[in-house]
């Protein structure tokens, strides 16, 4: 037994993760797990301490994994597994330099995230949070012809920015609502867009013609603050903006202005900068802005599967075998 223990590889897990994942890490005598045993993020200093000498790191999107963390971990580190589909929190250039493999969890959260994005779009366009508030505060005096009107999907034009795995899953779910045209923009046209009758158009065309704009691209230097004053100024005054990608794709000051001065009709955000959004943030004073706490993938089963997949990726990385989902970069 002692000999086995001596060979165990050291793994640092930056948060409590679903049992499905912990079970895999504990099985098979591959690794010795050191867990930041909390539902709250590991403070930076504890992350830097926790990774020391680790062979594997299982992290979340709230952990910035940069040269400092990699340096603190030292030369043992051979695999980083993130419990997320997004990987903008990982300094991939630094990771590559050190020959470290990366695992992530795409696909398994696509349905849950697309569902949530549709829910957010409908809640925003049909003003559900405002309605709920009026019911509770006595603002509901009667059925009123001109009250709480919003915008419907039937006959509309929807624009998807970044028709990737989640983007096309959103489009697939929106089409049955009677969407008339589905536009999308990105770096390249996609063959699979045919399934949703997607038309690949320049961003400016998407902005000026869409009634609903859904952002589902990854956060990259190119998409950082893509949605700024110029972007919103090209949208229709009646258009609804929805973002379930990453908060930093949006310039929030410019979004606030666009919502406040009627440049656009409403916005639904599942992601913000920072997260959490401070409760005194100007966006939270607006009735036409619906903000959710980054819950795109938050179904019981999806999170369990993400936990298991992140653990499988980590173990495979430690053993030098094929990962179920390895990031190629
Ligand atoms: P994919 O890689 O499948 O899709 C990303 C898309 O972004 C690609 O289609 C890509 O299109 C597009 N893109 C890249 N650069 C640009 C650009 N400059 N302009 C427009 N589009 C661009 O990833 P997923 O669909 O699986 O996930 C997308 C993102 O969603 C993740 O990166 C993550 O940040 C976020 N996410 C959020 C969740 C939540 O809880 N809210 C849950 C899961 C993911 P192209 O190939 O043409 O460049
Ligand atoms: C991701 O996976 O990138 C999401 O933001 C959380 O599930």
């Amino acid at each position: 037994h002692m000999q086995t223990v001596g060979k165990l590889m050291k793994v640092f897990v930056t948060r409590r993760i679903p049992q499905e994942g912990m079970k895999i890490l504990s099985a098979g005598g591959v690794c010795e797990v050191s867990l930041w045993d909390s539902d709250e993020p590991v403070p930076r200093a504890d992350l830097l301490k926790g990774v020391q000498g680790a062979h594997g790191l299982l992290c979340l999107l709230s952990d910035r994994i940069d040269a400092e963390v990699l340096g603190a971990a030292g030369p043992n580190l051979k695999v980083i597994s993130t419990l997320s589909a997004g990987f903008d929190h990982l300094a991939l250039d630094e990771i590559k330099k050190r020959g470290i493999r990366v695992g992530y969890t795409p696909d398994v959260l696509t349905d849950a995230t697309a569902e949530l994005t549709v829910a957010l779009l409908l809640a925003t366009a049909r003003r559900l949070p405002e309605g709920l508030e009026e019911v509770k505060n006595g603002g509901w005096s009667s059925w009123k012809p001109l009250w709480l009107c919003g915008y419907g999907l039937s006959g509309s034009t929807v624009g998807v920015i970044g028709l990737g795995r989640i983007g096309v899953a959103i489009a697939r779910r929106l089409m049955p609502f009677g969407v008339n045209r589905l536009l999308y923009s990105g770096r390249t046209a996609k063959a699979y867009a045919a399934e949703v009758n997607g038309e690949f158009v320049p961003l400016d065309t998407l902005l000026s013609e869409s009634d609903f704009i859904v952002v589902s691209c990854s956060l990259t230097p190119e998409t950082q603050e893509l949605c700024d004053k110029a972007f919103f100024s090209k949208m229709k005054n009646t258009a609804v903006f929805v973002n379930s990608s990453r908060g930093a794709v949006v310039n929030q000051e410019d979004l606030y202005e666009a919502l406040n001065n009627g440049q656009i009709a409403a916005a639904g955000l599942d992601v913000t900068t920072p997260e959490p959004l401070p409760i005194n943030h100007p966006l939270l004073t607006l009735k036409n802005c619906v903000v959710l706490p980054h819950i795109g993938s938050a179904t019981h089963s999806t999170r369990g599967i993400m936990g298991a997949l992140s653990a499988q990726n980590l173990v495979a990385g430690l053993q030098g075998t094929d990962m179920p989902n390895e990031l190629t970069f």
Side-chain angles (χ1 to χ4, degrees):
H1 182 67
M2 289 302 285
Q3 276 173 336
T4 322
V5 169
K7 283 184 196 160
L8 289 183
M9 283 184 274
K10 207 187 144 195
V11 161
F12 185 60
V13 179
T14 65
R15 194 84 63 93
R16 283 184 197 142
I17 62 166
Q19 269 312 310
E20 290 89 332
M22 287 311 285
K23 269 187 211 146
I24 292 167
L25 295 181
S26 333
V30 177
C31 51
E32 177 197 334
V33 177
S34 157
L35 172 73
W36 181 255
D37 194 8
S38 167
D39 293 322
E40 298 302 325
V42 58
R44 187 76 179 173
D46 295 283
L47 171 61
L48 295 173
K49 208 171 145 202
V51 292
Q52 278 174 30
H55 299 88
L57 171 63
L58 198 156
C59 67
L60 308 192
L61 54 90
S62 46
D63 306 313
R64 187 167 42 83
I65 307 302
D66 55 11
E68 188 186 21
V69 173
L70 301 173
N76 279 350
L77 191 64
K78 55 161 83 173
V79 54
I80 296 168
S81 171
T82 184
L83 188 109
S84 64
F87 46 82
D88 50 278
H89 55 301
L90 308 177
L92 292 181
D93 49 346
E94 296 290 339
I95 292 170
K96 198 184 182 97
K97 246 192 251 172
R98 292 165 176 80
I100 298 167
R101 295 170 71 189
V102 174
Y104 69 137
T105 65
D107 299 312
V108 298
L109 45 53
T110 295
D111 288 350
T113 307
E115 255 177 42
L116 187 280
T117 306
V118 172
L120 176 58
L121 183 150
L122 292 170
T124 305
R126 297 300 301 274
R127 304 169 63 177
L128 300 196
E130 271 183 85
L132 290 170
E133 203 181 309
E134 297 288 16
V135 170
K136 290 184 181 175
N137 69 18
W140 181 17
S141 60
S142 166
W143 187 91
K144 289 179 272 192
L146 303 178
W147 192 50
L148 281 178
C149 295
Y151 298 93
L153 279 163
S154 181
S156 71
T157 296
V158 170
V160 178
I161 298 178
L163 195 79
R165 290 173 291 246
I166 295 170
V168 76
I170 294 166
R172 226 183 272 129
R173 284 160 174 75
L174 291 179
M175 296 313 279
F177 283 94
V179 168
N180 184 33
R181 291 176 72 205
L182 192 291
L183 314 179
Y184 72 101
S185 70
R187 288 173 301 185
T188 58
K190 313 291 180 202
Y192 57 74
E195 186 199 335
V196 291
N197 289 322
E199 303 169 39
F200 186 59
V201 296
L203 181 60
D204 281 2
T205 306
L206 184 148
L207 295 178
S208 61
E209 296 185 7
S210 297
D211 301 302
F212 297 89
I213 291 179
V214 180
V215 182
S216 55
C217 61
S218 36
L219 173 61
T220 67
E222 211 180 306
T223 61
Q224 174 119 19
E225 301 214 356
L226 173 73
C227 311
D228 61 2
K229 190 178 163 76
F231 176 107
F232 296 119
S233 72
K234 291 169 191 157
M235 285 174 60
K236 297 183 186 181
N237 298 151
T238 52
V240 174
F241 175 84
V242 175
N243 181 18
S244 60
S245 64
R246 283 291 180 269
V249 170
V250 175
N251 177 313
Q252 289 178 170
E253 287 70 40
D254 292 351
L255 174 60
Y256 174 85
E257 284 307 319
L259 288 167
N260 194 44
N261 66 24
Q263 173 58 48
I264 69 171
L269 312 173
D270 184 44
V271 287
T272 61
T273 39
E275 292 182 1
L277 193 64
I279 58 173
N280 63 356
H281 194 280
L283 281 175
L284 299 179
T285 65
L286 298 171
K287 281 187 191 272
N288 57 349
C289 188
V290 179
V291 182
L292 298 179
H294 202 152
I295 53 172
S297 64
T299 71
H300 294 288
S301 86
T302 298
R303 288 289 168 79
I305 293 167
M306 288 168 70
L309 182 54
S310 66
Q312 285 160 350
N313 284 336
L314 191 77
V315 169
L318 292 174
Q319 293 180 321
T321 57
D322 285 349
M323 287 186 202
N325 270 108
E326 179 159 8
L327 184 69
T328 47
F329 59 100

